[in-house]
Amino acid sequence: MIKVSIIGAASYAGGELIRLLLAHKEVEIVHLTGNTYAGQDICAVFPYLQGGIQREIIALTQENQRQIIADSDLLFLIMPHGQASGMAKDILAAGKKAIDIGADFRFADAGVYEQWYKVKHQAPELLQEAVYGLPELYRKQIAAARLVGNPGCYPTATILGTYPLLKAGLIKDNSVIIDAKSGISGSGRTPSSLNIYAAASQNMKAYAVAGHRHTPEIERIFSDISGNAQVINFTPHLTPMIRGIHSTIYADLRQSIDGEELTRLYKEVYAGETFVRVHDHGSWPESKWATGSNLCHIAVTADQRSGRVIVCSVIDNLLKGAAGQAIQNMNLMCGFAEDTALPLTPVYP
Amino acid sequence: MIKVSIIGAASYAGGELIRLLLAHKEVEIVHLTGNTYAGQDICAVFPYLQGGIQREIIALTQENQRQIIADSDLLFLIMPHGQASGMAKDILAAGKKAIDIGADFRFADAGVYEQWYKVKHQAPELLQEAVYGLPELYRKQIAAARLVGNPGCYPTATILGTYPLLKAGLIKDNSVIIDAKSGISGSGRTPSSLNIYAAASQNMKAYAVAGHRHTPEIERIFSDISGNAQVINFTPHLTPMIRGIHSTIYADLRQSIDGEELTRLYKEVYAGETFVRVHDHGSWPESKWATGSNLCHIAVTADQRSGRVIVCSVIDNLLKGAAGQAIQNMNLMCGFAEDTALPLTPVYP
Amino acid sequence: MIKVSIIGAASYAGGELIRLLLAHKEVEIVHLTGNTYAGQDICAVFPYLQGGIQREIIALTQENQRQIIADSDLLFLIMPHGQASGMAKDILAAGKKAIDIGADFRFADAGVYEQWYKVKHQAPELLQEAVYGLPELYRKQIAAARLVGNPGCYPTATILGTYPLLKAGLIKDNSVIIDAKSGISGSGRTPSSLNIYAAASQNMKAYAVAGHRHTPEIERIFSDISGNAQVINFTPHLTPMIRGIHSTIYADLRQSIDGEELTRLYKEVYAGETFVRVHDHGSWPESKWATGSNLCHIAVTADQRSGRVIVCSVIDNLLKGAAGQAIQNMNLMCGFAEDTALPLTPVYP
Amino acid sequence: MIKVSIIGAASYAGGELIRLLLAHKEVEIVHLTGNTYAGQDICAVFPYLQGGIQREIIALTQENQRQIIADSDLLFLIMPHGQASGMAKDILAAGKKAIDIGADFRFADAGVYEQWYKVKHQAPELLQEAVYGLPELYRKQIAAARLVGNPGCYPTATILGTYPLLKAGLIKDNSVIIDAKSGISGSGRTPSSLNIYAAASQNMKAYAVAGHRHTPEIERIFSDISGNAQVINFTPHLTPMIRGIHSTIYADLRQSIDGEELTRLYKEVYAGETFVRVHDHGSWPESKWATGSNLCHIAVTADQRSGRVIVCSVIDNLLKGAAGQAIQNMNLMCGFAEDTALPLTPVYP
């Protein structure tokens, strides 16, 4: 039985962490922090929890941070960019573990982080120790880690969808184009002119074209897999659905290979992976096949006319793309069965 | 450990039964039947299950029905009106148990059933034995039952929302007006001009006005609670959401009483109920607070100007309104903890 | 050719006014005002207008109000409650006309207004002169008016749906219960935790139960039609669609009458009305049948079992419920054909 | 004043043609044909038209085809693949004009058509005469044409989005990758397991990957513009919205050029085009900016890191992608002002 706290609980990822942890028999939630709702019960934020949990949201302050850390074995950090790196130092100094749901520990190089995120990194000395929390690629390192940088939602779907190609050396350098579609919950709980219903419903739009911050994160891991630096094109689109990432990946094949063979390769690579489901050639995954679960569904084909490979990879951005993957990482870091409390079936339709 | 079969598995309720049963450690799924998809794996219908279950859908025939029943301890029936009553006879004769997700066993009187459903009832002699499967009202009878008629989705939300008023004798006879809103999955998986996306999205419409078949089902239970015959108005509306029932209930109060007091009454009545959540006065439930869970959220107030009570009651039509309640009934009938494998937190947002 | 200005143009109603007026050959738009976007072109707010209109949004100030009024023949007012009444005085004093899209001129009695809206009315002396801008009931008065209070969206659908019953004296006093469903655009363009996509999509909820401010507006007109004071129940619901009002109206019939006869009555009452479409008995209108148009679709039936009448009435809240009706009123006030520039066919599906 | 008939009126494109033509003062609708609804009034299909038009849908037969053609000056053909080519022969022989909303006249080469559409072309001799009905590229030819092949929805958005690049020779041959997203109405009015609400809502999925029939249509026009054969990648995605095409286009630049310069080029190319709106660099179009209108919104940038150009182009699939463009073509073919009866402002939000 371990004790965990959630820093930034009044977020969608925080809500999903609470849902999953309430069903996790080896974990006790000790603290929930938040600024906007400090002093209120978590049920004021998520009224559907009434009857399921009672817990006051407390403000995180310089005064109580030490106590919050002392009371916890592991902390989930959902904080503005640049703040988690500061807190992580104190968590590790106190001998506790941390999983950062934000971007502070997704990069090996503080310079890249600071260039794309426009904030100062407060603990560059921890970047070498921090592990990129994608268990399908870095399971052993995660199991041994004190500090995990939980991957972004787009990178999770995209890296899982491209990994077999890069590992097998099948595609040309710098040829990957990623056209990604995300549900609106990816923009968080803060109301804005972009995410209000009347604007976002019945609408599709690209954003952050040629400049989204998940670009260098994907490039880092692509380079790590392939062994040489990779430049990609990454274009995210706001899609009128609450949850879901659908990543469509295009790349130039080095040699002719057909879709059936590619599918076999993918099935081999992911054999034994609980959460990755490679579908038969010709069956294309729907983003909804992952909703509410920790699954990643993938399919692949080759277009013989153009010599390109096309992959579709889908996840639930709040689960495998955030809270679910964080629990998966926690399970590994704490020695629990990797799938404990993680839904293996989506809520469909 | 019991063995269950699902007759009519290739339905939305069937899909949810499978999802819940896969996480139920005391149950093994033995047979899945279906006509349209007979001979195919269940993953051909619900591809998201690939990797989670492999099971051929078999056609239910006169020849194999005996064997299917023999292999099972309990059967869930999702069949066209009038067919479950025939099969239930054989199930009981074989000493097994049945939960009918359809309407065949929701009525005490075969005549009322036949008048509203326009089919012949094949086992009127079982109507006295069959128990109406609403655990919050008939828990003891369900625990002892061999045959349960699982309530309709509208009746579940509506009866739970009205029960405290009727039981306390607070409202005038025949004064209840129910304006109910349902997600589109209530119309099933069969494509029609009513439930296609382009027609159903961004749209609200009433249907079956003054003639919906859940009317006599609600009236039967209302009469049972209040002790005298009740005529109601029930108007369902198709609402552009996948899941969810939102039942708004109006009735004339016999005497002046305020919303705070009514709320206290509701909280008392449902104290100890795992799945019913009565909210504080002034907080109105959202249909989404139930999505993916077996919860029913309720709030109540009185309008002093008009002398009426107003109740809102929400459920997920596929869970508390169908598959979830069926599992709850199964748990009771088989001596498992009532909430086994039933989600207590919605998938929100 | 007249000149009009829109006070509060950066709103959804403002956007629809602009769309309709750009196609109105007898009207020139002179000023668009707004606070948040002052100094920017209207295309910064509604980028889809780029190439269709160029006009700077100007802040409305005490200094420029006189000039804005002087430049205009008629002004549409989309202002916070209590502010339009102040400006209307100046408009009338300058010999110009005004249509208030807000609530300031919907009441005969300033006391009722102030009780429900919690602001001071700045021109109670104009309430007798102001005409309630529902052309189907008050066409002659509107044509002669200098000042029109444009009806609320819920009242428009509800009054048109109930008018024939009240006029014919068919229903009992105080027996009307209105269960209304509105698209999310009814909550305006200002982002809030209620109207963001992730919260509002796939969700249904009641709000302002027993306290919505359209209650006294409906009661005023009901009383005006029936000749004696009427108390109603009015419960609005947020519905996951961008546009649309669906008003379901219940009332106790004084005498037995069937749905066919009621339908005939409705068709007679609305014969000759361009924008009201009464449907054959048994056909229930869909909110989407009005989307993008100025239409109101109505159907009616009687429930013989309960002795109640049930009416469904649908409109587009931004058109017949706001901007469309305002143009209809403008057309009447300025001597144009009543349907000029008003869409008679919805954008379907 | 011309007389037109719609062959296949009970379709979404048919419904939009009717909406637009009812507001077109120079056109009279003479016949509406359809098989499923033959003998019923068009209001049985589109009840929202009740009060706006009365016209029986007639079955198209070998017997009455001659008369239908004789009664019409121009016919819109919405027919199964392979049938329009047969009828077009008779229309031209009778000296009348035809606009085929289907694919029969979009290709110069009957062989390519037959390979991708798997049906026999019935009038290959007309393919040289038929004009591809994209006015922004082929205005003069359309004005002189008797027979127009109305472009597909995906090709319309994609070709308008790529034309300036191809024309200026800025991109490498065979480097274009098109990731397109379409609203569900693109799949038509026939209910299927793919387009029902519960399946399509809250979901994103690719389909017809590496095999969609709009591929050769786009390649034909790309080759025509660039002067040499072009092979493309085209991947369409079903998106949970009723209407809208959002085409995201990637290509390799031959030389370095920045986004501002590309934007200037696009603005020059489309200066004077009523329906094409090029947006300032950095502003990305939303599919909804076109809904209900005949507009095409475009934006472009260059990604300096990867040397690629990225274009987003949006239309309403039922208007600029079908019925609206057909009316635009009709206006040109009949000498009316090109924008007659075509909405220049979307219905937003």
Side-chain angles (χ1 to χ4, degrees):
Chain A
M1 191 81 173
I2 61 162
K3 296 180 180 199
V4 307
S5 292
I6 304 172
I7 309 302
S11 56
Y12 286 141
E16 280 297 62
L17 280 176
I18 293 169
R19 171 171 79 97
L20 299 173
L21 292 172
L22 285 175
H24 198 302
K25 301 220 166 8
E26 320 226 36
V27 176
E28 180 192 348
I29 299 174
V30 285
H31 293 297
L32 303 176
T33 82
N35 293 325
T36 313
Y37 297 88
Q40 299 183 56
D41 193 89
I42 187 68
C43 296
V45 182
F46 300 121
Y48 58 79
L49 289 174
Q50 192 184 306
I53 182 177
Q54 267 195 317
R55 195 66 44 92
E56 189 186 317
I57 301 172
I58 56 175
L60 176 72
T61 63
Q62 286 197 311
E63 288 70 38
N64 67 10
Q65 179 176 305
R66 176 185 293 267
Q67 189 61 46
I68 290 170
I69 294 173
D71 294 344
S72 315
D73 296 307
L74 183 149
L75 294 98
F76 296 99
L77 310 182
I78 306 169
M79 305 175 80
H81 299 307
Q83 296 189 9
S85 47
M87 186 160 182
K89 270 196 291 200
D90 296 332
I91 294 171
L92 266 58
K96 307 306 178 75
K97 293 173 176 170
I99 297 172
D100 178 22
I101 312 267
D104 283 15
F105 294 102
R106 295 178 187 160
F107 295 87
D109 179 341
V112 173
Y113 170 84
E114 291 176 355
Q115 176 193 338
W116 287 80
Y117 284 85
K118 315 291 183 201
V119 292
K120 183 95 189 128
H121 200 287
Q122 296 186 45
E125 70 277 14
L126 293 179
L127 289 178
Q128 284 311 312
E129 172 177 358
V131 176
Y132 191 73
L134 193 57
E136 288 75 13
L137 272 72
Y138 304 105
R139 181 167 287 116
K140 275 187 197 166
Q141 297 93 314
I142 294 165
R146 299 188 302 165
L147 174 59
V148 160
N150 214 56
C153 48
Y154 289 122
T156 294
T158 301
I159 295 167
L160 290 174
T162 317
Y163 171 60
L165 297 172
L166 287 166
K167 192 173 162 235
L170 291 173
I171 54 176
K172 295 184 189 163
D173 284 347
N174 305 327
S175 74
V176 179
I177 292 176
I178 299 143
D179 188 292
K181 299 89 179 168
S182 170
I184 314 291
S185 65
S187 73
R189 279 190 68 228
T190 306
S192 79
S193 61
L194 268 184
N195 68 14
I196 63 169
Y197 182 89
S201 178
Q202 300 291 316
N203 198 32
M204 165 66 70
K205 72 162 296 188
Y207 69 101
V209 180
H212 194 279
R213 298 187 290 197
H214 285 172
T215 306
E217 181 181 338
I218 296 169
E219 288 178 346
R220 177 204 171 187
I221 306 300
F222 275 19
S223 303
D224 190 38
I225 303 167
S226 69
N228 50 344
Q230 298 287 343
V231 173
I232 62 164
N233 256 107
F234 171 67
T235 308
H237 297 73
L238 270 187
T239 307
M241 53 193 190
I242 298 168
R243 292 164 177 246
I245 298 281
H246 184 294
S247 186
T248 311
I249 303 155
Y250 306 90
D252 295 341
L253 286 163
R254 285 189 199 277
Q255 65 204 67
S256 181
I257 179 168
D258 72 12
E260 296 282 1
E261 199 173 338
L262 286 168
T263 302
R264 271 194 300 278
L265 168 69
Y266 271 67
K267 290 198 174 187
E268 279 167 30
V269 168
Y270 289 120
E273 285 298 341
T274 306
F275 298 112
V276 181
R277 306 280 165 90
V278 178
H279 287 263
D280 291 346
H281 188 239
S283 168
W284 293 97
E286 309 187 10
S287 66
K288 199 147 82 165
W289 293 356
T291 301
S293 82
N294 201 48
L295 298 176
C296 176
H297 294 277
I298 302 176
V300 61
T301 196
D303 180 10
Q304 304 304 336
R305 300 172 77 249
S306 66
R308 293 200 183 91
V309 59
I310 302 155
V311 186
C312 292
S313 174
V314 308
I315 60 168
D316 181 329
N317 57 306
L318 294 180
L319 287 161
K320 186 65 178 165
Q325 186 138 274
I327 299 287
Q328 191 180 353
N329 284 321
M330 179 197 77
N331 286 339
L332 287 166
M333 293 163 79
C334 298
F336 308 138
E338 187 173 336
D339 64 352
T340 310
L342 288 171
L344 283 159
T345 317
V347 176
Y348 184 95
Chain B
M1 190 83 174
I2 63 163
K3 296 180 180 198
V4 307
S5 293
I6 303 172
I7 308 302
S11 55
Y12 285 141
E16 280 297 62
L17 280 176
I18 293 169
R19 171 171 79 98
L20 297 174
L21 292 171
L22 284 175
H24 197 302
K25 301 221 166 6
E26 321 226 34
V27 176
E28 181 193 348
I29 299 174
V30 285
H31 293 297
L32 302 176
T33 84
N35 294 326
T36 313
Y37 297 88
Q40 298 182 56
D41 192 88
I42 187 69
C43 296
V45 183
F46 300 121
Y48 58 80
L49 288 174
Q50 193 183 305
I53 182 176
Q54 269 195 315
R55 195 66 45 93
E56 189 187 316
I57 301 173
I58 55 175
L60 176 72
T61 64
Q62 286 197 310
E63 288 70 38
N64 67 9
Q65 179 177 304
R66 176 184 293 267
Q67 190 59 47
I68 290 169
I69 294 172
D71 294 344
S72 315
D73 297 308
L74 182 148
L75 295 97
F76 295 99
L77 310 182
I78 305 170
M79 306 176 79
H81 299 306
Q83 296 189 10
S85 47
M87 186 160 183
K89 269 198 292 200
D90 297 333
I91 293 171
L92 267 57
K96 307 305 177 75
K97 293 174 176 170
I99 296 172
D100 179 23
I101 312 266
D104 283 16
F105 294 103
R106 295 177 187 160
F107 295 87
D109 179 342
V112 173
Y113 171 84
E114 292 175 355
Q115 175 193 339
W116 287 80
Y117 284 84
K118 315 291 181 201
V119 293
K120 183 96 189 129
H121 200 286
Q122 296 187 45
E125 70 278 13
L126 292 179
L127 289 177
Q128 284 312 312
E129 172 176 358
V131 177
Y132 191 74
L134 193 57
E136 289 75 12
L137 272 71
Y138 304 105
R139 182 167 285 116
K140 277 188 194 164
Q141 297 92 315
I142 294 166
R146 298 187 303 164
L147 175 58
V148 159
N150 214 54
C153 49
Y154 289 123
T156 295
T158 302
I159 295 167
L160 290 175
T162 318
Y163 171 59
L165 297 172
L166 287 166
K167 193 176 162 232
L170 291 174
I171 54 176
K172 295 184 189 165
D173 284 348
N174 305 328
S175 75
V176 179
I177 292 176
I178 299 144
D179 188 291
K181 299 90 180 167
S182 171
I184 313 292
S185 66
S187 73
R189 278 190 69 229
T190 306
S192 79
S193 61
L194 267 184
N195 68 13
I196 62 169
Y197 181 89
S201 178
Q202 300 291 316
N203 198 33
M204 165 66 70
K205 72 162 296 189
Y207 70 100
V209 180
H212 194 280
R213 297 186 293 198
H214 285 172
T215 307
E217 181 180 338
I218 296 168
E219 288 178 346
R220 177 204 170 187
I221 306 300
F222 274 19
S223 304
D224 191 38
I225 302 166
S226 70
N228 50 344
Q230 298 287 343
V231 173
I232 61 163
N233 255 107
F234 171 66
T235 308
H237 297 73
L238 269 187
T239 307
M241 52 192 191
I242 299 169
R243 294 164 176 244
I245 298 280
H246 185 294
S247 187
T248 312
I249 303 156
Y250 305 89
D252 295 340
L253 286 164
R254 286 190 198 277
Q255 64 203 71
S256 181
I257 178 168
D258 73 12
E260 295 282 2
E261 199 174 338
L262 286 168
T263 301
R264 270 193 301 277
L265 168 70
Y266 271 67
K267 291 199 173 186
E268 279 168 29
V269 168
Y270 288 120
E273 286 298 341
T274 306
F275 297 111
V276 182
R277 306 279 165 92
V278 178
H279 286 263
D280 291 347
H281 188 239
S283 168
W284 293 97
E286 310 188 9
S287 66
K288 199 146 81 166
W289 292 357
T291 301
S293 82
N294 201 47
L295 298 176
C296 175
H297 294 278
I298 302 176
V300 60
T301 196
D303 180 9
Q304 303 305 337
R305 299 174 76 249
S306 66
R308 294 199 184 91
V309 59
I310 303 157
V311 186
C312 292
S313 173
V314 308
I315 60 168
D316 181 329
N317 57 306
L318 294 179
L319 286 161
K320 187 64 179 166
Q325 187 139 274
I327 299 287
Q328 191 180 353
N329 285 321
M330 179 198 76
N331 286 339
L332 287 167
M333 293 163 78
C334 298
F336 308 139
E338 187 173 336
D339 64 353
T340 311
L342 288 172
L344 283 160
T345 316
V347 175
Y348 184 95
Chain C
M1 192 81 174
I2 62 162
K3 296 182 180 198
V4 308
S5 293
I6 303 172
I7 308 303
S11 55
Y12 285 141
E16 280 297 63
L17 280 176
I18 293 169
R19 172 171 78 97
L20 298 173
L21 291 172
L22 285 175
H24 198 302
K25 301 222 167 7
E26 321 226 35
V27 176
E28 181 192 348
I29 300 174
V30 285
H31 293 296
L32 304 176
T33 83
N35 294 326
T36 313
Y37 297 88
Q40 298 182 56
D41 193 88
I42 187 67
C43 296
V45 182
F46 300 121
Y48 58 80
L49 289 174
Q50 193 182 306
I53 181 176
Q54 268 195 315
R55 195 66 45 92
E56 188 186 316
I57 301 172
I58 54 174
L60 176 71
T61 63
Q62 286 197 311
E63 290 69 39
N64 68 9
Q65 179 177 304
R66 176 185 293 266
Q67 189 60 45
I68 290 169
I69 294 173
D71 293 345
S72 316
D73 297 308
L74 182 149
L75 295 98
F76 296 100
L77 310 183
I78 306 169
M79 305 175 79
H81 300 306
Q83 296 188 10
S85 47
M87 185 160 183
K89 271 197 291 199
D90 296 332
I91 294 171
L92 267 57
K96 308 305 178 76
K97 293 173 177 172
I99 297 172
D100 178 23
I101 314 266
D104 283 16
F105 295 103
R106 295 177 187 161
F107 295 88
D109 179 342
V112 173
Y113 171 85
E114 292 176 355
Q115 175 193 340
W116 287 80
Y117 285 84
K118 316 290 182 201
V119 293
K120 182 96 190 130
H121 200 287
Q122 296 186 44
E125 69 279 13
L126 293 178
L127 289 178
Q128 284 311 311
E129 173 177 357
V131 176
Y132 190 74
L134 192 58
E136 288 75 13
L137 271 73
Y138 304 104
R139 181 167 286 117
K140 276 188 196 164
Q141 297 93 313
I142 295 165
R146 299 188 301 165
L147 175 59
V148 160
N150 214 55
C153 49
Y154 289 122
T156 295
T158 302
I159 295 167
L160 290 174
T162 317
Y163 171 59
L165 297 172
L166 287 166
K167 194 175 160 231
L170 291 173
I171 53 176
K172 294 184 188 164
D173 284 347
N174 305 328
S175 74
V176 179
I177 291 176
I178 299 144
D179 188 291
K181 298 90 179 169
S182 171
I184 314 291
S185 65
S187 74
R189 279 190 68 230
T190 306
S192 78
S193 61
L194 268 184
N195 69 13
I196 63 170
Y197 181 88
S201 178
Q202 300 291 315
N203 198 32
M204 165 66 72
K205 71 163 296 187
Y207 69 101
V209 180
H212 194 280
R213 299 186 290 198
H214 285 173
T215 307
E217 181 181 338
I218 296 169
E219 287 178 346
R220 177 204 170 186
I221 306 300
F222 274 19
S223 304
D224 190 38
I225 303 167
S226 70
N228 49 343
Q230 298 287 343
V231 173
I232 61 164
N233 255 108
F234 171 66
T235 308
H237 297 74
L238 269 187
T239 307
M241 54 193 190
I242 298 168
R243 292 165 177 245
I245 298 281
H246 185 294
S247 187
T248 312
I249 303 155
Y250 306 89
D252 296 339
L253 285 164
R254 287 189 198 277
Q255 65 204 70
S256 181
I257 179 169
D258 73 12
E260 295 282 2
E261 199 174 338
L262 286 168
T263 302
R264 270 194 300 278
L265 168 70
Y266 271 67
K267 290 198 174 187
E268 279 168 30
V269 168
Y270 288 120
E273 285 299 340
T274 305
F275 297 111
V276 182
R277 306 281 165 89
V278 178
H279 288 264
D280 292 346
H281 188 238
S283 167
W284 292 97
E286 310 187 10
S287 66
K288 200 146 83 166
W289 293 357
T291 301
S293 82
N294 203 47
L295 298 177
C296 176
H297 294 278
I298 302 176
V300 60
T301 196
D303 180 10
Q304 303 305 336
R305 299 174 76 251
S306 66
R308 293 199 183 91
V309 58
I310 303 156
V311 186
C312 292
S313 173
V314 308
I315 60 168
D316 182 328
N317 57 306
L318 294 180
L319 286 161
K320 187 65 177 164
Q325 186 139 275
I327 299 287
Q328 191 180 353
N329 285 321
M330 178 198 76
N331 286 339
L332 287 167
M333 292 163 79
C334 299
F336 308 139
E338 187 173 335
D339 64 352
T340 310
L342 288 171
L344 284 159
T345 316
V347 175
Y348 184 96
Chain D
M1 190 84 173
I2 63 163
K3 295 179 181 199
V4 308
S5 292
I6 303 172
I7 309 302
S11 55
Y12 286 141
E16 280 296 63
L17 280 176
I18 293 169
R19 172 171 80 98
L20 298 173
L21 292 171
L22 284 176
H24 197 302
K25 302 219 164 11
E26 321 227 36
V27 176
E28 181 193 348
I29 299 174
V30 285
H31 293 297
L32 303 177
T33 83
N35 294 326
T36 313
Y37 298 89
Q40 299 182 55
D41 193 88
I42 187 68
C43 296
V45 182
F46 299 120
Y48 58 79
L49 289 174
Q50 193 183 305
I53 182 176
Q54 267 195 317
R55 196 66 44 92
E56 188 186 317
I57 301 172
I58 56 175
L60 176 72
T61 64
Q62 286 198 311
E63 289 69 39
N64 67 9
Q65 179 176 305
R66 176 184 293 266
Q67 190 59 47
I68 290 169
I69 294 173
D71 293 345
S72 315
D73 297 307
L74 182 149
L75 295 98
F76 296 99
L77 310 182
I78 306 169
M79 305 175 79
H81 300 305
Q83 296 189 10
S85 47
M87 186 160 183
K89 271 197 291 200
D90 297 333
I91 294 170
L92 267 56
K96 307 306 178 75
K97 294 174 177 170
I99 296 172
D100 178 23
I101 313 265
D104 283 16
F105 295 103
R106 295 177 187 162
F107 295 87
D109 180 341
V112 173
Y113 171 85
E114 292 175 356
Q115 176 193 338
W116 287 79
Y117 284 85
K118 315 290 182 201
V119 294
K120 183 96 188 127
H121 200 286
Q122 296 187 45
E125 70 277 14
L126 292 179
L127 289 177
Q128 284 311 312
E129 174 178 356
V131 177
Y132 190 74
L134 192 58
E136 288 75 13
L137 271 73
Y138 303 106
R139 181 167 287 117
K140 276 187 195 166
Q141 297 93 314
I142 294 165
R146 297 189 302 165
L147 175 59
V148 161
N150 214 56
C153 50
Y154 289 122
T156 296
T158 302
I159 295 166
L160 290 174
T162 318
Y163 172 59
L165 297 172
L166 287 165
K167 193 175 162 231
L170 291 174
I171 54 176
K172 295 185 188 163
D173 284 348
N174 305 328
S175 75
V176 179
I177 292 176
I178 299 144
D179 188 293
K181 298 91 180 167
S182 171
I184 313 291
S185 65
S187 73
R189 279 190 68 229
T190 307
S192 79
S193 61
L194 267 184
N195 68 13
I196 63 169
Y197 181 89
S201 178
Q202 299 292 316
N203 198 32
M204 165 66 72
K205 73 163 296 188
Y207 70 100
V209 180
H212 194 280
R213 297 186 291 198
H214 285 172
T215 307
E217 181 181 339
I218 296 168
E219 288 178 346
R220 177 205 171 187
I221 306 300
F222 274 19
S223 304
D224 191 39
I225 302 166
S226 70
N228 50 344
Q230 298 288 342
V231 173
I232 60 163
N233 256 108
F234 171 66
T235 307
H237 297 73
L238 269 187
T239 307
M241 53 192 190
I242 298 169
R243 294 163 176 246
I245 298 280
H246 184 293
S247 187
T248 312
I249 303 155
Y250 305 90
D252 295 340
L253 286 164
R254 286 189 199 278
Q255 65 204 68
S256 181
I257 179 169
D258 72 13
E260 296 282 1
E261 200 175 336
L262 286 168
T263 301
R264 270 193 300 277
L265 168 70
Y266 271 66
K267 291 198 174 187
E268 279 167 31
V269 169
Y270 289 121
E273 287 298 342
T274 306
F275 297 112
V276 182
R277 306 279 165 92
V278 178
H279 287 263
D280 291 346
H281 187 240
S283 167
W284 293 97
E286 310 187 10
S287 66
K288 199 146 82 165
W289 293 357
T291 301
S293 82
N294 201 48
L295 298 177
C296 176
H297 294 277
I298 302 176
V300 61
T301 197
D303 180 10
Q304 303 306 334
R305 299 174 75 250
S306 66
R308 293 200 184 91
V309 59
I310 302 155
V311 186
C312 292
S313 173
V314 308
I315 60 168
D316 182 328
N317 58 306
L318 295 179
L319 287 160
K320 187 64 178 164
Q325 187 139 272
I327 300 287
Q328 191 181 354
N329 285 321
M330 179 197 76
N331 286 338
L332 287 166
M333 293 163 79
C334 298
F336 308 138
E338 188 174 335
D339 65 352
T340 311
L342 288 170
L344 283 159
T345 316
V347 175
Y348 185 95

